[in-house]
Amino acid sequence: MHVRQATTSDLEQIVDLQVDRNGPECEPMIRALVASPENGIGCFTVAVDGARVVSSLCLMREAFVLEGVRIPVGRPEFVATHRDFEHQGLVRDQMDLVHGWSADRGDLVQVITGIPYFYRRFGYEYAIPMPRVRIVNPGVTVGTPDGWSVRHAALDDVDAIVATSSRALADVPLVAVRSPEWWRWWVSNDTGGGWYLAVRDGRVRGCAFVGDGPPGIDNHALCVAAIAAHEEDAVWALVADAFARAGGKPVAVEERTGLARVAAGISSRHSRQYAVYVRVADPVALLDHLRPVLTARLRRSHHASSSGTLLLSTYASSLTIHYANGEISAIERGGPHKDPVGSGGIGVPPDLVATLLFGRYGATELAERHPDVRLGRRVDLAEILFPRVEADLVMSL
């Protein structure tokens, strides 16, 4: 068995394998990915048995913005192995390969969505939550507000969708940056769902992606996802349209900033057990990149005029954050440190570092959830530097 970068001659076998293991909706996605200038066939890996492709995955280029700072991200996806070749370490070998590619091109983070637990074996953790979901069950009456209509989006509507979505995400601290090509692909690709627009007086006032799912929801439902709207009536129009087309299935409505409880009176909260896997191979490099974010947080706090250091131990290794007069001046790499609290620092195990840095819970709640997260006397500073962060990544896979 041999693992290598894919070539053009592998494409049809990759598509056939993906369709067989992950579903027919993969084909247009993969062909669009290969055709895109920023990715291409070279973003795929293959494991081959002779000339036969028996396993494959890819590494896509992405970027996040956290409180104004852009973070280069690598996203492995389209992981598939032929049934006869499972449990032979082929995915691990390919993940090692794309992690190296990602590091070489300067990515500071890798993210993936997919199988529960599986990717934790490769250094990932559930660090960024997916949107919460409300379930509207059959039998509820949902009407379209007067003066509103809903129509299927066309490629010419991409600019309106991007503008409406950007407005919805304007005040969200952690978002994903999407290229115009990505938006055009998602709007034009109807496999597994489609984009719909809420229109009033001939103008687009809201949009949503409507399809099966969403991931992490047990009951089979039609999902209204990635909702963005200028006003609440646009949301009601989109939900009513989805409900009318659901064919008796429940409708799952993803909550978004500013629109979180529009459907609260006709729905129930679903305890969604799903999140984005994140891998941070080098916390020092990521924190050094995020010094402007940490500085801004420090300057907004009562520590704005203070100076000192904060030891952050991951037990097998450590780092020290240096700050002076409200500015993070340096992130220093260190060795193992088994008793950080005793040395006036904090301790976070390595498999929770991404969760801390991307603010899924905030430092204090993370410590309440995990006994080996120790904040000691530095709990105040830890919560200032690592608060809970609202995220909205608009994931299309």
Side-chain angles (χ1 to χ4, degrees):
M1 215 78 63
H2 176 56
V3 170
R4 59 171 171 78
Q5 188 175 33
T7 65
T8 303
S9 63
D10 299 314
L11 177 58
E12 297 308 319
Q13 288 198 70
I14 292 171
V15 169
D16 290 345
L17 177 63
Q18 294 288 341
V19 168
D20 178 57
R21 298 314 313 267
N22 292 325
E25 66 274 12
C26 292
E27 181 170 357
M29 298 179 188
I30 289 170
R31 293 192 187 280
L33 192 63
V34 169
S36 70
E38 63 180 4
N39 290 294
I41 189 64
C43 75
F44 278 86
T45 63
V46 291
V48 293
D49 182 24
R52 181 187 180 190
V53 173
V54 297
S55 184
S56 183
L57 56 85
C58 78
L59 178 72
M60 298 185 289
R61 293 180 182 271
E62 292 200 353
F64 293 167
V65 174
L66 176 60
E67 297 175 25
V69 174
R70 187 183 180 102
I71 304 169
V73 173
R75 183 177 174 187
E77 277 295 352
F78 294 111
V79 180
T81 300
H82 190 281
R83 291 171 181 82
D84 295 342
F85 291 84
E86 292 181 326
H87 313 298
Q88 297 184 29
L90 299 181
V91 171
R92 180 175 295 280
D93 290 345
Q94 291 173 90
M95 291 293 277
D96 288 345
L97 181 57
V98 298
H99 288 162
W101 293 352
S102 194
D104 289 346
R105 73 187 189 194
D107 296 337
L108 296 174
V109 175
Q110 290 80 40
V111 302
I112 193 169
T113 56
I115 305 168
Y117 173 72
F118 183 66
Y119 296 104
R120 293 173 67 176
R121 298 165 58 189
F122 311 120
Y124 290 79
E125 58 187 281
Y126 289 117
I128 303 175
M130 298 292 278
R132 290 180 172 179
V133 172
R134 303 198 72 89
I135 303 295
V136 185
N137 286 308
V140 173
T141 300
V142 185
T144 302
D146 291 341
W148 288 85
S149 62
V150 174
R151 65 173 175 83
H152 192 271
L155 195 56
D156 290 345
D157 296 309
V158 168
D159 289 346
I161 292 172
V162 171
T164 306
S165 299
S166 298
R167 174 174 171 162
L169 298 174
D171 296 322
V172 179
L174 176 59
V175 297
V177 179
R178 305 298 184 186
S179 67
E181 291 77 17
W182 184 92
W183 278 107
R184 283 194 290 272
W185 166 78
W186 199 13
V187 172
S188 64
N189 176 30
D190 282 346
T191 307
W195 278 90
Y196 289 82
L197 308 179
V199 179
R200 190 187 67 181
D201 299 329
R203 292 188 300 162
V204 174
R205 305 291 294 171
C207 59
F209 183 82
V210 181
D212 289 336
I217 302 299
D218 298 328
N219 56 313
H220 189 61
L222 188 69
C223 179
V224 183
I227 305 172
H230 294 262
E231 53 204 285
E232 289 189 5
D233 276 355
V235 179
W236 282 116
L238 291 162
V239 173
D241 179 76
F243 207 72
R245 293 184 296 100
K249 295 190 298 185
V251 173
V253 182
E254 285 191 344
E255 297 182 348
R256 300 293 297 278
T257 303
L259 308 169
R261 287 170 178 79
V262 170
I266 61 168
S267 63
S268 58
R269 167 70 62 74
H270 188 283
S271 56
R272 187 182 202 180
Q273 300 297 312
Y274 197 69
V276 178
Y277 284 107
V278 181
R279 175 181 180 266
V280 177
D282 188 346
V284 173
L286 178 58
L287 280 172
D288 189 61
H289 185 76
L290 292 175
R291 278 197 289 159
V293 173
L294 301 180
T295 292
R297 292 172 179 174
L298 194 65
R299 286 177 176 170
R300 291 194 297 266
S301 77
H302 55 278
H303 285 278
S305 60
S306 61
S307 300
T309 61
L310 176 65
L311 170 70
L312 194 167
S313 171
T314 59
Y315 301 109
S317 63
S318 66
L319 61 88
T320 300
I321 301 171
H322 297 262
Y323 59 97
N325 300 316
E327 181 175 359
I328 305 299
S329 56
I331 310 292
E332 181 183 6
R333 200 179 300 272
H337 212 302
K338 296 182 178 179
D339 183 23
V341 171
S343 300
I346 66 175
V348 180
D351 57 348
L352 289 172
V353 167
T355 303
L356 176 76
L357 301 190
F358 284 101
R360 182 173 184 181
Y361 304 113
T364 303
E365 186 177 344
L366 189 64
E368 292 170 350
R369 289 170 174 266
H370 298 277
D372 48 4
V373 175
R374 302 294 179 90
L375 305 181
R377 299 186 304 274
R378 309 308 298 276
V379 57
D380 177 54
L381 184 58
E383 185 66 23
I384 288 168
L385 293 179
F386 305 112
R388 179 188 284 267
V389 175
E390 184 180 2
D392 195 327
L393 301 182
V394 193
M395 307 298 277
S396 63
L397 296 175

